[in-house]
Amino acid sequence: MSLRICSLNDLTPGEGLRIASVSPPIAVFLTEEGTVHALDDTCTHQDASLAAGWVEDCRVECPLHESTFSLITGDVDQPPAKRGVRAHTVEVHDGEVFVELSGAEPNLPPGVRVA
């Protein structure tokens, strides 16, 4: 089931938007190329918001310890994080962003629980 998450106008190219109305929170990103992606918002290494990270080359860098995650797959390719985050399916219709949340179990950092 897809959820309306935000308007395309709510997104800024190269930045993330934290959506806390779902649990765990997700981050929605609009790339400079105009593609929209959604990942779980919490870095798997430590409790940090990926929406606050740096976006480049379809990757987001965690603002705390520089692990990078693919906006397409959620895979991590730079330590200290060792596990990726869930990537969610995104569709844009009439300027509205819809996300179908992954059914996979989230990879959360130690001590963080799903509400």
Side-chain angles (χ1 to χ4, degrees):
M1 176 174 92
S2 291
L3 304 170
R4 184 202 170 275
I5 295 297
C6 64
S7 171
L8 197 54
N9 291 333
D10 296 331
L11 302 174
T12 302
E15 295 183 11
L17 176 66
R18 180 180 170 89
I19 306 295
S21 59
V22 296
S23 182
I26 63 172
V28 180
F29 300 92
L30 174 62
T31 66
E32 296 289 344
E33 296 75 30
T35 60
V36 180
H37 304 276
L39 302 175
D40 279 351
D41 185 49
T42 307
C43 178
T44 58
H45 170 251
Q46 194 169 341
D47 191 4
S49 171
L50 295 179
W54 297 272
V55 177
E56 187 175 13
D57 296 329
C58 222
R59 305 196 71 69
V60 60
E61 182 179 301
C62 176
L64 283 185
H65 299 111
E66 302 175 353
S67 290
T68 57
F69 299 85
S70 167
L71 295 180
I72 298 168
T73 65
D75 292 342
V76 64
D77 71 352
Q78 185 167 309
K82 295 179 179 145
R83 298 176 300 150
V85 294
R86 296 183 307 172
H88 307 286
T89 303
V90 175
E91 293 184 3
V92 178
H93 297 289
D94 298 324
E96 301 299 312
V97 177
F98 294 85
V99 174
E100 184 173 336
L101 298 173
S102 169
E105 200 61 32
N107 291 324
L108 297 172
V112 175
R113 306 257 183 260
V114 175

